[in-house]
């Protein structure tokens, strides 16, 4: 979907008509709950004892006067990462048939004082010691800086829903290398096995909540597999749960010594399986380079530790080069990570890195491009966070060439210079759950772009994702959260959250678990970000817009396929054919190549006059720095439809006002290399 097709959703200038529609909807349109006369939002058989939710009032239902879904979207959460990494890295479970005491207990090896909480030591410093008792005391966990304890207990998710959240993306997550090197585990480390289990447990959690609420379909937690289902669930006032995937080696697509360990058949089989599980968005690479794409680095000691994991997984370390554009990957630095480096074979050392070479040499591989196009064919959304800038640039080129909107940045891990390209495609952006001041600052920085493209905003909590969450601003902080407070829609009252003997206060505890998401949003509002909260409240609608546009996308016919071709020259080879027709044969492994001089052209005859408004050019290494796209109806008289003097290779999309043409010509003016011009594929498209 293009930006012109997206409705403008800023509500600073409400029309008289909108006000009248709103009044009529309130006066004439009873909500489903009021019609039924029941408190549908309260469970009928909650276990006792259990966590409190500490929210009163009916959740809002329906849409606004424009028919738009209201509510927040968490675009990046990990409900079941306790089942990942061998099953002992994240302690506690989101739910248990045996009750809260079983669900919210520490890992066995953490008793009696946390001395063996090795990952706590790695991620949080100190000695890892803590009070391991969860229910009912919760002295030391969950906490905003405890990265290895359950934060997604079902009642805490319920509280976030009651506070106004309407969409939650549950990213099924694991990492085989972390699993293999971690001391404690109770299962194997195959990533796809873990993903299957987490998907199953998400459906099990839905059934568990349904039982509490009185039967199948009655719970607030509704797994959805298409945007229409999600919209219906959100309109009912419930929580639409979308399945995503974030792994380092999806489909087994790791690489060893730069040799791919998967095939196109593996990718097709893997995508089909994930789709059948209900997965609708995913990352193609995460933390380690794989057979699909290079990653965006981590920094500091953590970056060094992950680079060790990269070596253990692939046999190679990260490799860097000078960046070719304004975008860059995170700096690696040369910090030590002694505990991780002990895992390296004798004689191995993590390399040092130059400060002026900050980009991953690895981009999107051929197999990665095959996976991207496979996701497009299935209407899936692609997460570009964690991709190297080289890989991300190629993905955005592909999506722009096909006008495909299904691109997500869900937790602040892409280069921010990509923001407008994502919005221009019709994609969706969410910011990591930073502290309120930082979150507001970043949201304000991109507010003008959201206004321009008429989109809402999201957050990615990354709970259970070993990332860290907002700490307390203090009991005496200015504009602190005052309890109780009203939800953003004004229909619910939210008090401090209590589980067992522990009551949390965002001001003094920070964002310790998922139930404090509404408190964090109130903190954003109190600190001075009402406009940001308004944009967040439109987040669910914008996310569903992106999803719907991805599902309904249809690739238009390529008018170049089968067209007659000619060129000013073709490079001669004894072994390979570089003739003009090789650039329209549908095979990205073949190409046309010219002689080695600037003034060269490539021409297509479409057979009859067609309306042309987009030409795509997939350059080989020998590209044009300066060239024109020209159109003609008779092959004699040409007009320039598009031109550039700053070509940089890759996949170019030339867009222009729709124009009748039978002939299309690419006129090379200046080469970008010492070779000639070479094109893998040329595409010509109408509307």
């Amino acid at each position: 979907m293009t930006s012109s097709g997206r409705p403008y959703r800023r509500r600073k200038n409400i029309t008289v008509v909108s006000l009248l529609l709103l009044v009529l909807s309130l006066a004439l349109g009873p909500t489903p709950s009021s019609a039924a006369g029941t408190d549908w939002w309260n469970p009928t058989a909650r276990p006792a004892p259990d966590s409190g939710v500490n929210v009163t009032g009916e959740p809002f239902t329906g849409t606004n006067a424009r028919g738009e879904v209201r509510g927040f979207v968490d675009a990046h959460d990990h409900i079941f990462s306790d089942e990942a990494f061998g099953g002992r890295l994240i302690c506690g479970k989101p739910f248990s048939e045996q009750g809260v005491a079983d669900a919210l207990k520490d890992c066995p090896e953490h008793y009696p004082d946390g001395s063996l909480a090795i990952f706590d030591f790695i991620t949080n410093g100190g000695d890892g010691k803590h009070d391991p008792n969860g229910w009912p005391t919760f002295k030391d966990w969950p906490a905003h800086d405890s990265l290895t304890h359950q934060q997604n207990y079902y009642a805490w998710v319920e509280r976030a829903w009651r506070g106004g959240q309407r969409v939650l993306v549950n990213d099924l997550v694991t990492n085989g290398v972390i699993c293999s090197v971690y001391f404690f585990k109770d299962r194997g480390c195959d990533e796809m096995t873990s993903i299957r289990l987490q998907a199953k447990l998400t459906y099990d959690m839905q059934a568990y909540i349904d039982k509490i609420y009185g039967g199948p379909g009655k719970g607030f937690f509704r797994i959805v597999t298409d945007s229409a289902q999600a919209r219906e669930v959100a309109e009912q006032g419930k929580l639409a749960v979308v399945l995503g995937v974030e792994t380092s080696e999806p489909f087994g697509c790791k690489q060893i010594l730069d040799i791919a360990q998967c095939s196109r058949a593996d990718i097709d089989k893997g995508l089909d399986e994930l789709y059948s599980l209900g997965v609708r968005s995913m990352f193609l690479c995460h933390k380690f380079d794989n057979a699909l794409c290079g990653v965006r680095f981590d920094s500091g000691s953590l970056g060094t530790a992950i680079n060790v994991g990269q070596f253990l997984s692939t046999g190679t370390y990260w490799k860097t080069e000078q960046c070719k554009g304004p975008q860059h990957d995170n700096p690696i630095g040369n910090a030590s990570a002694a505990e991780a480096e002990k895992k390296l074979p004798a004689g191995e050392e993590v390399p040092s890195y130059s400060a002026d070479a900050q980009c991953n040499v690895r981009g999107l591989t051929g197999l990665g491009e095959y996976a991207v196009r496979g996701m497009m064919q299935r209407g899936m959304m692609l997460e570009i966070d964690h991709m190297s800038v080289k890989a991300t640039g190629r993905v955005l080129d592909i999506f722009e060439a096909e006008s495909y909107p299904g691109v997500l940045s869900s937790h602040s891990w892409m280069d921010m210079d990509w923001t407008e390209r994502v919005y221009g495609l019709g994609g969706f952006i969410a910011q990591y759950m930073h502290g309120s001041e930082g979150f507001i600052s970043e949201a304000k920085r991109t507010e003008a772009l959201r206004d321009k493209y008429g989109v809402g905003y999201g957050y990615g909590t990354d709970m259970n994702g070993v990332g860290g969450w907002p700490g307390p601003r203090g009991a005496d902080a200015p504009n602190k959260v005052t309890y109780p407070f009203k939800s953003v829609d004004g229909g619910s009252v939210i008090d401090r959250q209590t589980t067992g003997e522990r009551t949390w206060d965002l001001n003094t505890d920070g964002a310790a678990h998922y139930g404090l998401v509404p408190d964090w949003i109130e903190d954003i509002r109190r600190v001075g970000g009402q406009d940001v909260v308004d944009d967040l409240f439109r987040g669910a609608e914008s996310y569903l817009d992106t999803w719907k546009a991805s599902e309904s996308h249809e690739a238009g016919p390529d008018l170049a396929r089968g067209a007659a071709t000619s060129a000013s020259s073709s490079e001669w080879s004894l072994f390979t054919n570089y003739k003009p027709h090789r650039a329209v044969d549908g095979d990205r492994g073949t190409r046309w190549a010219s002689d080695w001089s600037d003034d060269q052209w490539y021409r297509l005859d479409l057979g009859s006059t067609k309306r042309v408004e987009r030409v795509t050019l997939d350059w080989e290494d020998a590209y044009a720095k300066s060239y024109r796209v020209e159109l003609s109806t008779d092959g004699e008289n040409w007009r320039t439809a598009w031109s550039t003097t700053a070509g940089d290779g890759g996949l170019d999309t030339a867009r222009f006002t729709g124009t009748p043409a039978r002939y299309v010509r690419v006129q090379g003016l200046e080469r970008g290399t010492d070779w000639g011009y070479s094109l893998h594929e040329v595409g010509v498209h109408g509307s």
Side-chain angles (χ1 to χ4, degrees), residues 255-268:
Q255 62 178 9
I256 299 177
L257 299 177
D258 295 323
I259 299 174
Q261 304 297 299
C262 67
S263 65
R264 289 187 171 192
D266 294 323
I267 292 169
D268 285 331

Side-chain angles (χ1 to χ4, degrees), residues 559-583:
L559 306 178
R561 193 69 66 242
T565 59
S566 58
S568 55
S569 64
S570 295
E571 183 180 341
W572 183 86
S573 170
L574 179 64
F575 305 103
T576 305
N577 185 338
Y578 294 126
K579 296 295 184 181
H581 72 277
R582 302 308 293 272

